[in-house]
Amino acid sequence: MILEPVPAGGPLPAPLLAELTALYASQQAFHALSEEFPDPADIRPEQVADTIAAELAHPDAEMLLARVDGRLVAVVSTLARHPDPADPDPWIGLLLVDAAQQGRGHGRQAAELTEDRFRAAGRRAVRLAVLDGNTAGLAFWESLGYEHLAHRRDRALNRPCAVLRKVLRTPRRAARTAVVDPDGAVFLFRYDNPEVGVHWALPGGGLEPGESPREGAVRELAEETGWTDLIPGPLLCTWEHDFTRADIAVRQHEHIYVTPGPRREPTALARATHSAEGILGGRWWTAAELTDPAEPVWPPGLGRLLAGRAS
C-alpha cells in the first residue's frame, strides 16, 4: 500500500474525483449515519469535491489516498493540530475504505501507515472520534489499540461521539539472555519503570544499528554483568511489550536466548553502569520462586519456558 496526499490547490483532476466519488458512494450506510450528504444513496462528484475542499481548507489538514497496485482502496483525512489549543495531539478525521475492498486488511494498513507518518513527525499520540451508532468503526479502532478518552459532541454538526486516543509507541528491537546455573536458578535484574512499575528482567537491552539479536545479546550480557566468557545459546522465545524509556513510549520486540553458566555476581565494573540503565539490583531466582513471583517477571511465564526447555 502507498499513501499519497491529495494534490493541494485547484480543482481535483477529473479521474481522481471519479475515483473518490465511487469510494464515497460505496459507503452508503456510513453516510446515512454521518448525515454529511443530503442523499447517501445519490452522492455526486460536485458534493465530494466540496467535501474535500472543505476538509483541506484547514491549514493543518491533509487528505491521503491509499492505493494498492494503483487502485484507490481507502482515503484518510488528518489534522496535524486540533482547533482546541488544549488538545496536543493530531487527529484522524476520517478513514473510509471502498466497501468492495473491505475485509482485506486495507483499513488497518492505512491506519498504521498514517500513524507512522505522525510518528515520523515526532508526534506521540493520535486522536479520533467515532459517531454513536458506528459500532463497527468503534470495534475497528479499539482493535488497533485506541482507548476511550471522552464522550462529547463534535464541533461540526453537534453529533454525539466517542473520542479515542492511542499512544504512538516507538518500535525498538532488543535481546536478552537467561543465564541458568547448575541448580536451575536464573539471574534477573530489578527495574522500576515510570509506566509499568517494578519488574524483573533478564540481562540485555536494545540493539545497536546493524546488530543482530544474537550479537546484541552477547554485547549486552557482557556490559551488564561483566561475564565475557558466556555465549548465548538457543533461542528461548520472542515477545513484545510496552514501556517508557527516556520519556519515550516504546514497543519493544525481544529475542531471548538461554545459556548455562556458573552462579556468580556481576563484576564491580558492570555494576557501576547499572544506575544509568535504571537497574536497581539483581539476584538469582530459583525455579520455585519463578513459579509464583511476588513482582512481575519479564517475559511472563519465564519459569514455565525454562522448565519446558529442560523437560
Side-chain angles (χ1 to χ4, degrees):
M1 177 178 286
I2 296 175
L3 284 188
E4 57 185 19
V6 170
L12 294 172
L16 175 57
L17 181 57
E19 287 183 297
L20 287 165
T21 302
L23 189 150
Y24 272 73
S26 75
Q27 287 290 355
Q28 182 176 336
F30 172 77
H31 296 303
L33 178 66
S34 70
E35 300 179 346
E36 293 181 3
F37 291 93
D39 183 358
D42 184 23
I43 294 178
R44 302 178 181 181
E46 60 271 20
Q47 295 172 329
V48 174
D50 289 344
T51 296
I52 293 175
E55 289 267 3
L56 296 179
H58 194 288
D60 292 320
E62 186 174 41
M63 182 160 283
L64 304 169
L65 307 174
R67 295 188 181 275
V68 174
D69 296 329
R71 175 172 181 169
L72 182 66
V73 298
V75 62
V76 187
S77 67
T78 68
L79 194 62
R81 285 172 179 80
H82 195 270
D84 183 352
D87 183 345
D89 300 325
W91 279 67
I92 295 175
L94 175 72
L95 194 164
L96 203 62
V97 178
D98 184 343
Q101 296 292 315
Q102 285 183 315
R104 304 183 184 184
H106 296 324
R108 176 178 291 269
Q109 191 173 5
E112 291 174 346
L113 288 175
T114 302
E115 293 168 359
D116 287 344
R117 291 171 70 91
F118 285 135
R119 191 180 287 109
R123 310 306 292 271
R124 295 193 174 188
V126 61
R127 301 188 192 195
L128 54 87
V130 179
L131 294 172
D132 284 8
N134 187 1
T135 55
L138 184 62
F140 169 78
W141 292 111
E142 288 177 335
S143 73
L144 291 179
Y146 286 76
E147 300 179 347
H148 286 253
L149 187 65
H151 189 273
R152 65 187 188 215
R153 293 184 176 272
D154 71 358
R155 299 170 66 98
L157 298 175
N158 199 36
R159 300 165 297 187
C161 56
V163 177
L164 281 67
R165 183 176 190 263
K166 180 180 180 179
V167 175
L168 297 178
R169 296 187 175 275
T170 299
R172 186 173 188 252
R173 299 171 64 237
R176 299 186 182 275
T177 305
V179 179
V180 182
D181 80 358
D183 295 324
V186 63
F187 189 83
L188 298 171
F189 285 123
R190 190 172 188 257
Y191 296 83
D192 189 1
N193 184 266
E195 179 179 353
V196 299
V198 173
H199 62 282
W200 294 79
L202 299 161
L207 303 185
E208 295 181 350
E211 194 173 46
S212 72
R214 187 174 293 278
E215 290 169 341
V218 172
R219 177 184 52 76
E220 286 284 341
L221 181 61
E223 289 177 357
E224 294 188 346
T225 66
W227 305 338
T228 57
D229 56 335
L230 298 181
I231 300 298
L235 182 68
L236 181 67
C237 70
T238 61
W239 79 300
E240 287 189 349
H241 60 101
D242 296 338
F243 69 106
T244 297
R245 182 178 184 275
D247 295 327
I248 297 174
V250 169
R251 170 152 294 164
Q252 183 152 292
H253 180 83
E254 293 187 352
H255 281 66
I256 297 178
Y257 301 91
V258 61
T259 191
R263 189 180 185 112
R264 54 187 166 178
E265 298 303 313
T267 65
L269 185 60
R271 289 198 303 271
T273 68
H274 287 178
S275 178
E277 295 297 323
I279 297 173
L280 303 179
R283 69 176 179 87
W284 291 88
W285 284 57
T286 67
E289 288 175 314
L290 288 174
T291 301
D292 187 21
E295 294 176 332
V297 170
W298 289 0
L302 177 60
R304 174 184 51 79
L305 291 167
L306 292 173
R309 169 184 167 271
S311 61

